[in-house]
Amino acid sequence: MNKQVNELPLIALRGMTILPHMVIHFDVSRKKSIQSIDYAMKNGQTIFLATQKSADIIEPQAEDVSEYGTLSEIKQIVKLPGGLCRVLVKGVARGRLLSFEPGKDGLMAKVEVETETAADVSETEQYAMCDTIMELMEDFYTSTERKMDETLPRLKAVTDIYELIYNVMEPGGVFTKEKREAIKKLQGAMGIIQSLQTLQNTLQQNTATTKLFKLNLQWQVKVSQPLLATLP
């Protein structure tokens, strides 16, 4: 995993968390947030998005913002009536917020950006993890009678375990707190296991079928035990 420290404009999100590989839009109204967007648009369209611990705080300090967030690319901005700004972004990579301070260009942050790969997980283990996630997702869609449309075929085409977990978080209905934990934990083999467990627990809470509990046993055998046995 490669790390480097960058200075980036920051938006402290209220009531939502954006993960790498997600494409989503949100509205901003605070002056500092709009200044951060304007700065980003003039400097490579890159911005760092981290979630506030409480949505009620108007002017967040360092202790009010989650330590981990997502380096994102601004794809589009639309100015709305009432001073609002709608922003379309794509999550690019996980990052750790080291510090930030307000300035004339909005909130400027020092961010340790992490480029993730599944190189520390063997091809066989990665295949087993992806296979387990897709079994859970298929059962979730069937049990909740959700329309599968193109979501499952798109997910099946993803072979990188990091990208798959991040992509599943949104359709799987993971709440903001759990998404923050996923960003924080998803590092290395052990982090993948922890994020899989978070995802699995959430899917189990959203369906009444017993098959997921059987998959839990399969997951333990197929993924956890073999992988844990290889860790130092």
Side-chain angles (χ1 to χ4, degrees):
M1 181 175 294
N2 300 320
K3 298 182 179 180
Q4 64 181 48
V5 177
N6 296 336
E7 186 172 11
L8 297 166
L10 165 72
I11 291 181
L13 299 172
R14 292 192 283 185
M16 68 183 304
T17 296
I18 294 174
L19 302 174
H21 306 286
M22 282 178 57
V23 177
I24 193 171
H25 66 76
F26 58 90
D27 296 342
V28 297
S29 60
R30 289 181 291 187
K31 181 179 178 180
K32 288 299 181 185
S33 296
I34 293 176
Q35 288 175 335
S36 292
I37 292 169
D38 290 340
Y39 179 87
M41 293 302 294
K42 297 174 183 176
N43 295 274
Q45 298 181 226
T46 300
I47 198 161
F48 189 68
L49 305 174
T51 305
Q52 287 186 199
K53 297 175 183 177
S54 171
D56 298 329
I57 298 174
I58 303 301
E59 296 185 4
Q61 304 301 311
E63 63 271 17
D64 302 318
V65 181
S66 298
E67 181 182 6
Y68 286 85
T70 301
L71 177 73
S72 302
E73 178 187 357
I74 298 176
K75 309 297 288 186
Q76 183 185 57
I77 60 171
V78 178
K79 300 291 185 179
L80 300 175
L84 294 177
C85 182
R86 179 160 295 170
V87 190
L88 177 67
V89 299
K90 178 181 180 180
V92 176
R94 186 177 76 152
R96 179 168 171 253
L97 181 61
L98 302 178
S99 64
F100 73 86
E101 60 183 28
K104 63 181 180 64
D105 295 314
L107 299 178
M108 298 301 297
K110 289 186 177 180
V111 179
E112 183 180 71
V113 180
E114 302 178 349
T115 304
E116 298 162 326
T117 67
D120 55 346
V121 182
S122 74
E123 184 177 347
T124 300
E125 290 161 345
Q126 188 169 183
Y127 176 82
M129 291 175 177
C130 291
D131 186 55
T132 299
I133 290 176
M134 291 313 303
E135 287 179 353
L136 286 165
M137 286 301 297
E138 288 174 0
D139 192 86
F140 172 73
Y141 271 76
T142 300
S143 302
T144 57
E145 299 182 350
R146 292 194 179 195
K147 293 182 65 176
M148 295 187 184
D149 48 61
E150 73 262 8
T151 301
L152 285 181
R154 177 176 58 82
L155 292 176
K156 286 180 178 179
V158 178
T159 57
D160 181 89
I161 188 63
Y162 285 101
E163 182 177 352
L164 182 58
I165 290 176
Y166 282 135
N167 271 275
V168 167
M169 287 293 178
E170 187 63 20
V174 180
F175 299 110
T176 295
K177 180 179 178 181
E178 292 164 314
K179 288 179 182 176
R180 290 201 302 266
E181 287 301 307
I183 293 177
K184 183 176 180 180
K185 290 179 180 178
L186 195 49
Q187 177 178 350
M190 184 58 74
I192 291 174
I193 289 176
Q194 291 174 327
S195 292
L196 276 171
Q197 188 66 67
T198 297
L199 172 62
Q200 185 182 50
N201 289 341
T202 302
L203 291 173
Q204 286 175 343
Q205 292 167 6
N206 281 278
T207 180
T209 64
T210 58
K211 183 180 177 182
L212 282 175
F213 294 96
K214 295 178 182 178
L215 286 174
N216 181 43
L217 297 177
Q218 295 176 14
W219 179 82
Q220 293 289 341
V221 174
K222 187 186 294 184
V223 180
S224 298
Q225 293 174 356
L227 184 54
L228 287 172
T230 67
L231 296 178

